[in-house]
Amino acid sequence: MKLRFNFKSVFIEAVSLLFVLLFVYAAIAKFLDFENFQIQLGQSPLLSVFASWIAWLVPIIELLIAILLVIPKFRNIGLWASFSLMIMFTVYIFIVLHYSSFVPCSCGGILEKMSWNVHLIFNIIFVILAVAAILFNMKIKQTNTARAKYLKTFKGLAGITAFSTLAVVILFLSSENIMHNENPFIRRFPPHPAEFSNAIDLKFNSFYFAGFSNKRLYLGNFTTPSKIISLNENLGDWQVKNIQFDPKDIPFKIVTTAVRDSFFYLVDGSVPKIFRGSLTDWRINKELKGTPYFNRAVPIDSNNIVFRSNNGRKLTSVLGVYTAAETPAIHYNKKLLQQQIDGIFDTDGTLLYSEKMHKIIYVYYYRNEFVVADKSGFLSFRGNTIDTTKYAKIKVATLKNGTQYAMSSPSYAINAHAAVWQNLLYVHSTAKGRFESKSVREKSFVIDVYDLNKNNYLFSFPIYHTSSDKLVSLLVTDAHLYAIIGNELVVYELRDALRKEIKSI
């Protein structure tokens, strides 16, 4: 009996010491690298929303439990608390592995070298050690009370397990709902949703994306609008296409080219003129007559164009849809773009069209909002990007007796660039979110991804600088993301984390 009593005492002492070492080491490691720990929690697929207070709460609880374990009078309480905390950690890892939208990188001192599955086994072992120490620490004076005592203890363990599990599940469900629908400007960066594939030097900074069709990428050039560069998906098979067209006496000012399906479009809203031709021979064969003046235009199909013009009151910006026919039709919806300051600069943004969703998308530059409309120009819904800039931070000056306007205090564009593919909206955001690494922001452009079907935020990923730190334009397909960065055309391969979110309509 004496040997058995000593074994129990030594076992309890050993387990308590192991927990003390584990919790003290983990807590000190968190405090010594607190900023990084908080950033890692902010990227957690379970605890992002609660990272600010959990980052403090967890190491404090670990230290308090360690104190309880080293004081003999409170050791039993410490063992129960250790069991509860290890259950929470175990459930957390189980949910990360089986139910979260992505599996983040491992973190936390010595445990950083462990995979998530090994970490799960490690936690389960410590749960078992805590249970054994709790059972050995029971004081049973009479044999006939042992069964009742053990039954009561097992009920307590089951209750603590249920409580700890429920607490983590509630945190997970609450965090997911808030992150996707009421995001408090916390970005999630899953591991490698897009990986660098290739890059080529374009030599000049005057290129832009004209479009993507039949697995070919098309580049336009502001200085030589009659020449189009065509490449395959991997930036190979470089071809130069010459647009066959005699403009005669048309006073073009800013000519751009757009590619949609099997057609290309030559557009200039200052004239205004839109011409259409076939990709087979690159020859203009039709003029879309009766087009209004515009400063943005995106083809919807062979006969419909969505455009933005200054046709509103006091030259404010409005969106409209032009339909080519024997009698051309123009539909303006002056309620789509909402004025905050002047209705011109404060409504500036990127005009897009999702061919698969049959939706018009307009992303504001200077505020955290985008507009989604059907192909006829009627509002479908308004969405928000995750930054906190609700109102454009610009100042506008009036020139020439109120007939011209200029930004007297320019603001940097919050949503500087945007692209759409099927149901996914990609936004290059220049605003720094909570719990984000400054070093990553300095070396990369952050792309936020939104699901237009659900009108919610999914996650973010970085595009790293190449030879330039200026992102010019974005284009996305089902398999790749293309970016013009300075003079370079860069292609990134989309991985499963992104491709599984693309839904065919």
Side-chain angles (χ1 to χ4, degrees), residues 13-221:
E13 290 283 351
V15 170
S16 298
L17 180 60
L18 281 175
F19 273 114
V20 169
L21 292 174
L22 176 65
F23 290 151
V24 170
Y25 170 79
I28 292 175
K30 292 178 178 71
F31 281 129
L32 289 177
D33 196 13
F34 184 78
E35 183 179 357
N36 187 48
F37 173 59
Q38 197 172 51
I39 289 173
Q40 290 171 335
L41 277 182
Q43 302 308 317
S44 164
L46 271 72
L47 306 174
S48 306
V49 174
F50 312 112
S52 58
W53 57 269
I54 287 181
W56 288 100
L57 185 63
V58 170
I60 289 173
I61 288 177
E62 287 174 335
L63 290 177
L64 288 176
I65 293 176
I67 293 172
L68 292 174
L69 289 169
V70 297
I71 301 174
K73 182 179 179 180
F74 300 110
R75 181 167 295 158
N76 192 52
I77 298 174
L79 289 172
W80 280 90
S82 300
F83 171 75
S84 177
L85 191 60
M86 294 309 299
I87 287 290
M88 288 183 179
F89 290 160
T90 304
V91 173
Y92 169 79
I93 295 175
F94 183 83
I95 294 176
V96 164
L97 290 173
H98 295 89
Y99 297 101
S100 67
S101 55
F102 66 93
V103 178
C105 298
S106 298
C107 59
I110 194 172
L111 306 182
E112 188 175 3
K113 305 301 180 183
M114 294 184 183
S115 69
W116 282 99
N117 285 312
V118 172
H119 200 162
L120 180 64
I121 295 171
F122 177 88
N123 284 5
I124 291 173
I125 290 172
F126 269 81
V127 168
I128 294 171
L129 289 174
V131 171
I134 289 170
L135 293 176
F136 283 164
N137 200 43
M138 291 171 51
K139 295 179 180 179
I140 303 173
K141 296 181 179 180
Q142 297 180 10
T143 305
N144 57 3
T145 63
R147 184 175 179 180
K149 192 79 172 179
Y150 278 117
L151 183 61
K152 183 179 179 180
T153 301
F154 280 119
K155 285 182 178 179
L157 292 170
I160 291 294
T161 301
F163 170 80
S164 303
T165 301
L166 185 61
V168 176
V169 170
I170 290 174
L171 285 175
F172 167 60
L173 295 176
S174 300
S175 180
E176 286 294 279
N177 179 62
I178 294 171
M179 279 295 298
H180 291 304
N181 299 295
E182 305 171 29
N183 190 293
F185 205 8
I186 300 174
R187 289 190 173 96
R188 284 180 174 171
F189 292 91
H192 314 299
E195 292 188 352
F196 174 83
S197 176
N198 194 11
I200 58 174
D201 188 356
L202 297 172
K203 306 299 183 183
F204 303 99
N205 62 0
S206 53
F207 285 97
Y208 61 90
F209 291 117
F212 182 85
S213 179
N214 296 320
K215 296 187 177 182
R216 301 285 298 183
L217 180 68
Y218 295 93
L219 301 179
N221 193 307

Side-chain angles (χ1 to χ4, degrees), residues 282-383:
W282 291 93
R283 185 182 300 275
I284 295 291
N285 53 38
K286 184 175 181 178
E287 177 183 354
L288 305 185
K289 296 183 178 180
T291 57
Y293 286 93
F294 59 85
N295 45 42
R296 295 276 195 282
V298 175
I300 293 177
D301 52 41
S302 59
N303 291 309
N304 293 279
I305 307 288
V306 57
F307 65 90
R308 190 191 74 186
S309 73
N310 296 112
N311 195 41
R313 186 182 179 186
K314 294 184 178 181
L315 301 178
T316 56
S317 298
V318 297
L319 293 183
V321 176
Y322 161 83
T323 302
E326 290 186 9
T327 304
I330 301 173
H331 167 70
Y332 290 99
N333 188 338
K334 297 182 179 181
K335 294 182 179 180
L336 285 179
L337 301 185
Q338 295 180 328
Q339 178 178 342
Q340 289 184 340
I341 301 170
D342 65 324
I344 301 174
F345 296 106
D346 66 336
T347 57
D348 203 2
T350 305
L351 180 60
L352 305 165
Y353 180 72
S354 172
E355 186 178 0
K356 298 295 183 181
M357 290 188 70
H358 308 294
K359 296 291 186 182
I360 298 164
I361 300 100
Y362 190 86
V363 183
Y364 290 108
Y365 285 149
Y366 303 111
R367 65 178 97 161
N368 64 348
E369 186 180 347
F370 57 88
V371 183
V372 179
D374 63 24
K375 62 186 299 183
S376 298
F378 294 100
L379 179 68
S380 296
F381 63 89
R382 299 183 188 275

